[in-house]
Amino acid sequence: MTESEAPPAKAPEGVSGAPALPQPVLEIASGYAFTGPALDLGALLWDGRCLPDVQIRIPLPMLNRHGLVAGATGTGKTKTLQLIAEQLSAQGVPVFLADVKGDVSGISAPGQENKKVRTRAGEVRQEWTPAGFPCEFYALGGMGHGIPVRATITSFGPVLLSKVLQLNQTQEQSLGLIFHYADQKGLELVDLKDLRAVVTFLTSDEGKSELKGIGGLSTATAGVILRSLTAFEAQGMSPFFGEPEFDTSELSRVARDGRGTVSVLELPAVQDKPQLFSTFLMWLLADLFHDLPEVGDVDRPKLVFFFDEAHLLFNDASKAFLDAITQTVRLIRSKGVGVFFVTQTPKDVPGDVLAQLGNRVQHALRAFTPDDQKALKSTVKTFPNSPYDLEEVLTALGTGEAVVTVLSEKGAPTPVAATRLRAPESLMGPVDPAALDRAVQASPLYGRYAEAVDRESAYEKLTAREAEAASSPAPSAPAESASSRGRGRKGDDQDSSVVEQVVGSGVFKSLARSLGTQIGREITRSIFGTARRRR
């Protein structure tokens, strides 16, 4: 049938020559013929050919329905993130990217045209124009090229910190009790030495009695936590915790020209600390969840957050941790935030979380081993029914190609589409480190976060108490501690120091009966047990 003979009603909008295409291709083309604003991913692949008339897209309002970008190493996942981030920025949506390998910083600089770029642009009918995008660069604790990002221990919370310290479930619950103790006694935990000081106090002769008052926390478990903290500090982790604490609202900034700011967290300097940086990413997301208002469904997301190396987050995670992630992902959509997990296969993501990810970009998978073959079959089962032989397609995709299904403007899954992706318009590689440092130091945020501040907190208060006790004769401090609780309720507290108030445990008389359920409510209320920011 010639083009002139084709019934015009059958041709999907924006698809020239569509009647000459096979019926499955027409159905795919119709599924991606959105009328509203959308991101352009690339052109359809069918029967070994690239069909530039059939453009594969994601509706902009659906970007807060979360997504997954997956694929084997070297298949082009990073360039896909770059492509999506560019178009989000151009449409005024702020983006957060974690740069694990150090090759995402190029998004701030115009790309370089070459034969590969020209060929790809011609294949997918892309009008390629080099462009850089507004960026802010961050670094955990200032390790690397970027504005330092820090969190206080109090804000980080016991569930996330347990993940970093690799504590078991019992130890995680005990750490929650210690946090609750510090909160009740006004001992602010700003950095690691604050928490270590509180745990040291609770394992000392003077503080052991306090352990009995906070739900049966054992001295042995407290000792394990203390050793974990000491080992953690010995690995050079101290700079990540402290003040000034990073304000996650910085991630939602828009540049003066109306484009969304791309916030790039530079992680090459901490590549050997995967538990730390993956958990820190979750803290950023949890903090955003606390602070952002409910907005419901919006025309465009307030922020799109790309969670790279997502499998690290879920490895050896406790049930409380996984439940908290699931709840965060489920609820943060109503805050206007979209979350994309980036990993190798969908099986890296727990089923309850995977069920929340409506947009899928699956790059090539390998099937060299029995485990690879099982992962391939599992991946295929996560896609809707498709006219493709997905097991064959997923192993045959080239670099910069992917199998795509997204949510339509009506919220229904689109047909599965093998896609040749567009080329990013920014630099596909890192910018010069010197240029990166200049950009960081020129940022208005640099002066706000560059220098660490060590104000008085739990460590200083407990140290002062210890020095005071050592310099004054107190022949029977333990006996007095046990016998003076009644007198402390008669008004002597007014003259007591903060740490002397810590020693008094009257506030915990009813705590032993209710603390288990109370901690559960706190974790549910703040999802990860993280503290709400005081602004």
Side-chain angles (χ1 to χ4, degrees):
M1 182 183 295
T2 65
E3 200 170 305
S4 59
E5 297 171 331
K10 284 190 176 182
E13 183 179 348
V15 181
S16 63
L21 299 174
Q23 185 62 31
V25 173
L26 293 176
E27 293 174 359
I28 293 172
S30 178
Y32 289 89
F34 310 126
T35 58
L39 309 187
D40 296 310
L41 294 181
L44 183 70
L45 289 170
W46 182 265
D47 198 20
R49 294 185 299 142
C50 183
L51 307 178
D53 286 331
V54 184
Q55 291 291 309
I56 307 302
R57 314 167 76 210
I58 305 180
L60 186 62
M62 293 295 109
L63 267 295
N64 74 330
R65 301 299 179 92
H66 311 318
L68 177 74
V69 178
T73 301
T75 56
K77 295 192 299 294
T78 300
K79 300 301 178 286
T80 297
L81 304 187
Q82 196 167 340
L83 173 67
I84 296 174
E86 290 177 352
Q87 295 186 61
L88 286 168
S89 174
Q91 299 206 45
V93 178
V95 178
F96 173 86
L97 291 171
D99 187 6
V100 178
K101 295 175 289 188
D103 54 359
V104 178
S105 58
I107 197 170
S108 63
Q112 298 175 348
E113 188 175 6
N114 54 42
K115 183 178 179 180
K116 286 185 176 180
V117 169
R118 287 193 298 270
T119 300
R120 177 57 61 96
E123 290 171 343
V124 301
R125 197 170 292 167
Q126 174 186 6
E127 295 181 6
W128 190 88
T129 305
F133 295 82
C135 289
E136 291 284 1
F137 298 97
Y138 300 97
L140 289 184
M143 293 184 66
H145 303 278
I147 298 164
V149 174
R150 305 179 188 88
T152 64
I153 293 291
T154 291
S155 175
F156 207 70
V159 178
L160 291 174
L161 189 60
S162 295
K163 182 70 162 62
V164 172
L165 296 176
Q166 299 181 333
L167 302 180
N168 63 30
Q169 184 175 352
T170 299
Q171 293 157 0
E172 177 184 312
Q173 293 169 348
S174 297
L175 185 62
L177 298 177
I178 293 169
F179 268 75
H180 188 85
Y181 177 85
D183 291 344
Q184 290 293 313
K185 292 300 185 179
L187 292 171
E188 193 168 2
L189 307 175
V190 172
D191 50 27
L192 286 174
K193 70 178 185 299
D194 288 322
L195 181 57
R196 183 159 46 84
V198 172
V199 179
T200 299
F201 168 75
L202 290 173
T203 55
S204 69
D205 291 339
E206 185 179 13
K208 281 180 181 178
S209 60
E210 297 298 299
L211 297 178
K212 297 178 182 178
I214 57 174
L217 173 65
S218 73
T219 305
T221 301
V224 171
I225 294 171
L226 183 60
R227 290 192 294 273
S228 297
L229 284 171
T230 303
F232 191 65
E233 285 185 288
Q235 295 171 24
M237 305 296 194
S238 295
F240 306 115
F241 296 99
E243 292 181 324
E245 184 174 78
F246 182 68
D247 185 344
T248 52
S249 67
E250 312 284 11
L251 303 180
S252 302
R253 296 167 65 232
V254 175
R256 291 182 179 179
D257 61 5
R259 293 184 295 173
T261 298
V262 181
S263 299
V264 182
L265 183 63
E266 293 292 329
L267 296 172
V270 292
Q271 275 185 333
D272 59 338
K273 300 174 177 64
Q275 290 278 356
L276 176 69
F277 72 69
S278 63
T279 310
F280 240 96
L281 296 182
M282 199 66 238
W283 172 76
L284 292 172
L285 197 59
D287 198 69
L288 282 166
F289 177 81
H290 291 166
D291 290 351
L292 291 174
E294 295 278 342
V295 295
D297 289 325
V298 290
D299 293 338
R300 66 188 64 217
K302 301 296 183 183
L303 171 71
V304 175
F305 192 105
F306 288 93
F307 209 123
D308 208 354
E309 301 291 344
H311 64 283
L312 298 171
L313 183 69
F314 303 112
N315 288 348
D316 302 320
S318 68
K319 185 180 185 301
F321 191 85
L322 293 176
D323 289 346
I325 293 173
T326 303
Q327 189 177 1
T328 301
V329 173
R330 182 179 295 123
L331 298 178
I332 202 169
R333 180 186 69 80
S334 64
K335 305 289 184 91
V337 176
V339 183
F340 275 70
F341 291 98
V342 186
T343 188
Q344 294 204 358
T345 71
K347 74 181 184 65
D348 294 335
V349 182
D352 288 345
V353 177
L354 190 63
Q356 309 297 318
L357 311 183
N359 303 299
R360 303 278 298 280
V361 181
Q362 176 68 59
H363 287 264
L365 291 174
R366 310 304 180 211
F368 300 143
T369 69
D371 285 344
D372 290 342
Q373 292 168 1
K374 288 174 63 177
L376 175 61
K377 290 181 182 295
S378 297
T379 298
V380 170
K381 291 178 181 178
T382 64
F383 281 91
N385 290 335
S386 163
Y388 293 97
D389 181 344
L390 285 180
E391 284 193 37
E392 180 180 341
V393 170
L394 285 172
T395 55
L397 291 171
T399 302
E401 297 176 348
V403 171
V404 175
T405 180
V406 301
L407 293 180
S408 71
E409 291 167 311
K410 295 181 179 179
T414 59
V416 175
T419 307
R420 182 161 292 164
L421 300 168
R422 292 183 167 220
E425 296 184 338
S426 56
L427 182 64
M428 288 187 277
V431 299
D432 179 71
L436 185 56
D437 286 337
R438 287 194 296 271
V440 169
Q441 293 175 15
S443 168
L445 302 181
Y446 183 75
R448 192 178 305 171
Y449 297 107
E451 294 297 326
V453 176
D454 188 11
R455 63 180 175 86
E456 184 183 57
S457 48
Y459 171 79
E460 287 77 15
K461 292 172 182 176
L462 290 170
T463 301
R465 167 69 174 95
E466 184 179 354
E468 180 183 346
S471 61
S472 60
S476 56
E480 182 181 351
S481 175
S483 63
S484 62
R485 293 173 186 169
R487 294 196 303 273
R489 289 192 294 270
K490 296 179 181 178
D492 293 341
D493 285 351
Q494 190 171 3
D495 299 323
S496 301
S497 69
V498 173
V499 179
E500 286 172 330
Q501 293 179 40
V502 172
V503 176
S505 59
V507 71
F508 290 108
K509 281 193 172 182
S510 63
L511 186 60
R513 295 189 301 271
S514 63
L515 194 53
T517 55
Q518 177 65 27
I519 290 295
R521 287 198 298 272
E522 287 179 0
I523 292 175
T524 301
R525 184 174 63 251
S526 62
I527 298 188
F528 279 100
T530 50
R532 294 182 182 275
R533 187 185 304 278
R534 282 175 272 174
R535 292 204 168 109

